[in-house]
Amino acid sequence: MPARVKTARRFIVGANWKCHGRMTSARAYAKALGDAALPRDVDVYIAPSLLHLHALRDGMPEEVEIAAQNFWDGGDGAYTGETSGDMLREAGATRVIVGHSERRTLFGETDDDVRMKACRALEDGLSVSLCVGENAGVRSEGGAVEFCIKQLEAVMPYVPESKWRDVVVVYEPLWAIGTGIAAEPKKVQEMHAAIRDWFAARTSVARAAKMRITYGGSVNEQNCQSLAQLEDVDGFLVGNASLSASSFIGICKGSSVAARKCAAA
Ligand code: PGA
């Protein structure tokens, strides 16, 4: 079925540094990526803390995207402590992560917040990595797919179809994040296929075939190749294993090898 054609989509691998990093380590990371000869068939983005955006952008190869981990959807104004899309773009960011489970659970972001952030970021000319994912309780009750689709339903119908290509979906089961143990490939593929089927039902099989659906949750150098070969996995968002430049570079390279294997198959 055409919606399952994997080779039509470029891989995209992101680094989510969360609240980690220092200026010196950010500069060293940028240099390491510059020296690494990253694979050309994988899109790469790094989401550092806001304070490190500049340091990274200045030292990083042009083709590596810089992303923000959060975003204020109200624009410039009297909003103490916030950072607007224009400010992010001026600092060199071209993408923002929206809906990460840590924003939802630790900072109380609701589906409505996620929708407003995603829509405003796209309006402001930023691409969006839109995270969805269920917790262990939802998974054990058998409602994982419905839960994630509901999170998508809260956002995607409000995004103009012309902007869908600027959205990368990130499936991140909460029970796999930061544990060192990624979700089993079967569960990942099932969820990604369900998400793609939802897109197909919402628009068309051809449009759904173009959506990039990526996985996050304890991705590392050891497991990235087997995950990358799954039919509906188009990349990763990497937390812990992205903090070391060499391990992140290894994941980018491993993803590229897997993508090429799939293309040749
Ligand atoms: P992890 O984090 O790779 O450390 O599990 C992923 C994420 O939360 O984006």
Side-chain angles (χ1 to χ4, degrees):
M1 157 176 185
R4 299 271 170 270
V5 177
K6 184 180 177 99
T7 51
R9 300 181 291 272
R10 270 178 74 81
F11 250 66
I12 179 162
V13 178
N16 178 9
W17 285 8
K18 308 190 181 183
C19 191
H20 293 287
R22 290 289 180 272
M23 206 58 94
T24 44
S25 58
R27 289 202 188 98
Y29 199 98
K31 181 170 180 338
L33 259 63
D35 293 345
L38 288 167
R40 288 176 180 277
D41 53 355
V42 174
D43 295 331
V44 176
Y45 65 96
I46 314 290
S49 92
L50 290 181
L51 284 179
H52 301 132
L53 278 180
H54 265 302
L56 265 186
R57 180 65 291 159
D58 286 350
M60 198 69 91
E62 271 287 295
E63 62 278 13
V64 175
E65 255 193 297
I66 304 294
Q69 297 172 19
N70 189 23
F71 162 78
W72 163 244
D73 55 79
D76 292 350
Y79 307 111
T80 302
E82 295 295 345
T83 309
S84 69
D86 285 350
M87 292 172 184
L88 292 178
R89 280 198 297 115
E90 194 184 47
T94 49
R95 168 177 300 277
V96 62
I97 298 173
V98 169
H100 191 281
S101 61
E102 285 150 19
R103 298 293 322 163
R104 294 179 191 257
T105 57
L106 303 175
F107 302 98
E109 287 190 9
T110 62
D111 278 347
D112 285 347
D113 296 326
V114 176
R115 175 178 63 247
M116 288 190 289
K117 287 187 180 203
C119 290
R120 181 63 192 253
L122 291 163
E123 256 174 51
D124 287 351
L126 294 159
S127 299
V128 165
S129 289
L130 170 64
C131 301
V132 299
E134 81 287 356
N135 65 24
V138 172
R139 164 73 51 181
S140 68
E141 283 159 16
V145 167
E146 291 70 21
F147 187 89
C148 294
I149 296 296
K150 193 169 154 280
Q151 288 183 326
L152 277 180
E153 281 276 6
V155 177
M156 291 310 294
Y158 301 87
V159 173
E161 234 183 282
S162 60
K163 293 274 184 192
W164 282 29
R165 65 167 182 268
D166 298 329
V167 178
V168 167
V169 175
V170 188
Y171 168 55
E172 293 205 314
L174 277 65
W175 44 272
I177 292 176
T179 61
I181 302 171
E184 299 89 319
K186 185 169 174 290
K187 288 185 181 148
V188 175
Q189 172 54 28
E190 268 169 17
M191 180 63 79
H192 283 224
I195 290 173
R196 198 175 308 286
D197 287 346
W198 177 82
F199 276 111
R202 270 272 167 189
T203 54
S204 65
V205 166
R207 168 71 77 176
K210 290 187 185 146
M211 283 307 299
R212 292 196 284 184
I213 305 170
T214 64
Y215 168 79
S218 298
V219 174
N220 57 35
E221 281 185 272
Q222 287 68 47
N223 60 26
C224 68
Q225 286 212 33
S226 54
L227 288 165
Q229 285 179 49
L230 297 171
E231 210 166 357
D232 287 290
V233 170
D234 306 313
F236 302 116
L237 181 57
V238 187
N240 277 332
S242 76
L243 296 178
S244 136
S246 75
S247 117
F248 183 66
I249 291 163
I251 293 169
C252 294
K253 290 186 172 168
S255 301
S256 163
V257 169
R260 271 186 273 124
K261 269 192 211 156
C262 291

